[in-house]
Amino acid sequence: NWRLAAAPAAMVRLEPHNLASGPLAGGSLPREGFDLVVCRNVLVYFAPPRLPAAAHVLMDSLKPGGLLLTGVADPLLEGLPSVPAPGGIAYRRA
């Protein structure tokens, strides 16, 4: 039951995406350079061979310096620069 004030809310864009059908079937998130992508407790459901493709699509959707936030249940995304965050891991796009 939180609501953003009008000024910051105008800067937020919510984009749903089905990682199970999108990137693995040739689709992708918009490449418009998001500052933040939140994908919490979703990647845990991907089989290890499919995880890198999903992570790649999420990271590619970020601006340089943008953050991908994952949850505590999600597997570590090896080879990606990470920053510890409360309740999960934040990955920063170089």
Side-chain angles (χ1 to χ4, degrees):
N1 293 336
W2 290 82
R3 179 173 282 171
L4 284 175
M11 296 184 293
V12 173
R13 191 173 100 218
L14 301 176
E15 291 284 338
H17 185 73
N18 184 343
L19 286 172
S21 65
L24 307 176
S28 65
L29 284 171
R31 292 181 178 250
E32 297 180 24
F34 293 109
D35 295 305
L36 174 68
V37 171
V38 179
C39 186
R40 296 182 51 84
N41 303 322
V42 172
L43 298 174
V44 67
Y45 297 104
F46 281 81
R50 296 177 64 132
L51 184 60
H56 179 73
V57 168
L58 292 169
M59 292 299 285
D60 279 354
S61 70
L62 293 169
K63 284 182 183 179
L67 292 174
L68 165 62
L69 298 181
T70 62
V72 294
D74 288 315
L76 293 176
L77 303 176
E78 295 183 26
L80 299 177
S82 63
V83 179
I89 302 284
Y91 298 92
R92 184 178 303 278
R93 184 169 183 183

